[in-house]
């Protein structure tokens, strides 16, 4: 026994032959792809430090103490976030 679209088409053809259904061609709509979200345009800083949350640069700081305090506070308030510190002078992620 067929299921799905093939079964419905066969059933529609039987009804159309018996005069109980009029088949009309309906325009086929094209599938439209949704545009992708643009990537973050925020670049890594050239000096100082930055907080990276879930891989995205959010805030820049001049001192290491300031960025560490802010990172600890964010991690305390939102433990599910992935919080890292980027050191621009070293060019690497510190924590």
């Amino acid at each position: 026994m067929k299921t799905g679209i093939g079964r419905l088409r066969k059933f529609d053809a039987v009804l159309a032959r018996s005069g109980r259904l009029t088949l009309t061609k309906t325009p086929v709509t094209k599938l439209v792809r949704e545009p992708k979200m643009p990537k973050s345009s925020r670049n890594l800083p050239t000096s100082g430090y930055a907080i990276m949350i879930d891989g995205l640069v959010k805030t820049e700081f001049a001192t290491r103490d300031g960025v560490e305090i802010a990172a600890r506070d964010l991690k305390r308030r939102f433990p599910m976030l992935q919080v890292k510190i980027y050191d621009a002078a070293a060019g690497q992620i510190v924590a």
Side-chain angles (χ1 to χ4, degrees), residues 9 14 19 21 42 48 67 76 84 93:
R9 286 183 184 154
V14 170
L21 177 69
R42 195 161 199 175
V67 75
R76 181 184 53 80
K84 295 181 180 180
I93 297 174

Side-chain angles (χ1 to χ4, degrees), residues 20-34:
R20 290 186 277 169
L21 177 69
T22 304
L23 294 177
T24 59
K25 286 193 174 187
T26 57
V28 178
T29 58
K30 292 184 179 180
L31 296 176
V32 178
R33 289 189 179 212
E34 294 293 325

